[in-house]
Amino acid sequence: MAAANHPSAKNALIVGASRGLGLGLVETFLARGWRVTATQRNASPGLAALKSEALTIETADIDDDAAVSGLHDRLASQTFDLVFVVAGVATQAHDPLHAVPRQVAAQVYLTNAISPVRFAETFRDRLAPGGSLVFMSSILGSVGLNTSGGWENYRASKAALNTLVRSFAIRHQAEALSVVLMHPGWVRTEMGGAEADIDVATSVGGMADVIEARLGQPGTMYLDYRGETLAW
Ligand SMILES: NC(=O)c1ccc[n+]([C@@H]2O[C@H](COP(=O)([O-])OP(=O)(O)OC[C@H]3O[C@@H](n4cnc5c(N)ncnc54)[C@H](OP(=O)(O)O)[C@@H]3O)[C@@H](O)[C@H]2O)c1
């Protein structure tokens, strides 16, 4: 019996998996014997190419409450050991804040900070006992570590994500949720660019190690892909 068909195989829901780090995480968890439900906004050639019986592909835009609710309904029979909200945008990230049109800046905040936490609120009831909820943050979301500036609006959106996730976990503290805000490293993806430090395989392998090692541990941690704790 293939590992992923085994009744004890773990289940992951990876949100924003059409390409980049999300797609890499899907490949990695499948290779580790997990069953994976992966979401895309539009048909993803990368996901379609994986052709694994352990992979289910769903479609949802995290900014669309009706789409997220529809996804929640379609996955009604399932619980997940890992819910990982990976989706994020970096629109006009290189421009100083005053050069980013208000609507563009607000949309980055909606996608990177508001929508992931709203998604978690909707899917909280689908987290299996002993499971973890992981959000893709960034070291750029650290207020304390911001000594170099740049990426102003993106930084603020990830700092907001960190703050909103901590508030979410405190609001649900009776459930002792296992929550991670993850920094994947600076990674060579469309967002990270060709000059970034590490490749997708290094980042997603590290993140999967960190997640598997602390699956279900209560508390809210801000960690990088090597398991190092970051300053808020
Ligand atoms: N690369 C880095 O160095 C780095 C460093 C720190 C943090 N991060 C974070 O890691 C995450 C993934 O980044 P990446 O480097 O893999 O970037 P990427 O290649 O640009 O991929 C971004 C992913 O997010 C999806 N997405 C964007 N908006 C969405 C929405 N409203 N609903 C659903 N999916 C949406 C995209 O889907 P479409 O294909 O439909 O656009 C795509 O799958 C992001 O949260 C990013 O901020 C990246």
Side-chain angles (χ1 to χ4, degrees):
M1 183 185 281
N5 293 329
H6 195 278
S8 67
K10 296 207 176 300
N11 280 309
L13 173 59
I14 302 191
V15 181
S18 63
R19 56 194 165 91
L21 293 169
L23 180 61
L25 285 162
V26 172
E27 286 187 81
T28 297
F29 280 104
L30 287 172
R32 293 179 182 215
W34 288 54
R35 285 189 295 263
V36 178
T37 301
T39 77
Q40 59 189 7
R41 286 194 290 190
N42 303 114
S44 155
L47 282 175
L50 294 180
K51 295 192 190 319
S52 166
E53 286 181 8
L55 172 64
T56 303
I57 301 172
E58 289 282 352
T59 299
D61 183 327
I62 63 167
D63 293 329
D64 180 344
D65 288 336
V68 171
S69 171
L71 178 69
H72 184 258
D73 290 348
R74 289 197 299 283
L75 301 177
S77 59
Q78 295 190 48
T79 59
F80 297 95
D81 304 284
L82 169 65
V83 175
F84 195 156
V85 186
V86 179
V89 291
T91 318
Q92 287 191 239
H94 297 282
D95 294 332
L97 184 66
H98 61 268
V100 183
R102 285 171 184 272
Q103 291 308 319
V104 174
Q107 185 58 55
V108 171
Y109 176 69
L110 283 172
T111 302
N112 288 0
I114 307 283
S115 296
V117 181
R118 290 182 72 106
F119 189 95
E121 194 64 59
T122 301
F123 273 85
R124 204 177 94 253
D125 65 346
R126 299 293 159 74
L127 200 60
S132 291
L133 191 47
V134 183
F135 298 85
M136 195 68 95
S137 182
S138 167
I139 197 168
L140 298 184
S142 168
V143 175
L145 297 175
N146 183 8
T147 53
S148 60
W151 284 60
E152 294 178 7
N153 189 56
Y154 176 86
R155 266 184 202 278
S157 72
K158 293 293 187 179
L161 172 68
N162 289 358
T163 294
L164 289 170
V165 166
R166 284 186 62 147
S167 296
F168 164 85
I170 291 166
R171 180 152 42 80
H172 296 298
Q173 63 189 354
E175 297 165 37
L177 294 171
S178 169
V179 178
V180 178
L181 284 149
M182 182 69 81
H183 169 54
W186 182 25
V187 195
R188 291 190 287 274
T189 62
E190 280 182 46
M191 185 185 293
E195 303 303 313
D197 288 336
I198 57 174
D199 60 16
V200 169
T202 303
S203 172
V204 298
M207 288 192 282
D209 287 347
V210 171
I211 289 165
E212 287 188 322
R214 75 170 313 280
L215 202 64
Q217 285 178 27
T220 304
M221 307 282 286
Y222 183 22
L223 303 173
D224 75 8
Y225 71 104
R226 296 162 302 191
E228 300 289 329
T229 296
L230 299 179
W232 299 101

